[in-house]
Amino acid sequence: MSRIRAVQDAGALPLTTVQLGSAVVVFALLSAAGGGPAPWTAATDFGAREWAGLLFLSALCTVFAFFVQMWAVRRTSPSRVGLLLGTEPLWAAGAGIALGGDRLGALGLVGGALVLAGTAWGRRARG
């Protein structure tokens, strides 16, 4: 972000809006191309619990996370940004284990080790 002039002076909220809008467009197109039922078709059967879950996931886990990420990227070193973004899947797995009772199998553990190895290698290569 520090190298692109167009976003150097932009606020975190406008950047979050562009990022979220881009994600919505891309994933809507991928969903339509996937051959399954459209998301809006599936949403017609949602009850209050499903809508509450969707609101939580969209507001906190997406919009808030995008906003905080845009805000924090500007206030720390590229090395720390790389570490945090590189290990993001591990934080998600940790939250799933702690909050959702998920369990990792052998493939999940191998994936976690690969994420850590790739992040360490990337940080070392950047020097």
Side-chain angles (χ1 to χ4, degrees):
M1 286 184 53
S2 65
R3 293 183 185 161
I4 302 172
R5 286 196 189 272
V7 297
Q8 284 176 349
D9 295 327
L13 188 57
L15 288 174
T16 300
T17 304
V18 169
Q19 189 178 23
L20 183 63
S22 299
V24 167
V25 168
V26 167
F27 290 118
L29 291 173
L30 288 174
S31 175
W40 42 88
T41 303
T44 58
D45 295 332
F46 280 7
R49 183 175 179 168
E50 289 85 5
W51 280 109
L54 182 63
L55 180 64
F56 169 76
L57 289 172
S58 60
L60 289 177
C61 299
T62 304
V63 175
F64 181 70
F66 281 174
F67 178 78
V68 169
Q69 185 177 352
M70 287 293 116
W71 177 83
V73 158
R74 294 180 170 182
R75 288 163 176 77
T76 189
S77 70
S79 179
R80 284 186 180 174
V81 170
L83 177 65
L84 289 172
L85 294 179
T87 58
E88 187 175 1
L90 298 179
W91 294 108
I97 291 167
L99 300 174
D102 292 346
R103 295 187 179 183
L104 288 181
L107 193 57
L109 293 172
V110 169
L114 288 172
V115 166
L116 287 176
T119 301
W121 177 69
R123 291 191 71 212
R124 194 171 306 123
R126 180 73 178 143

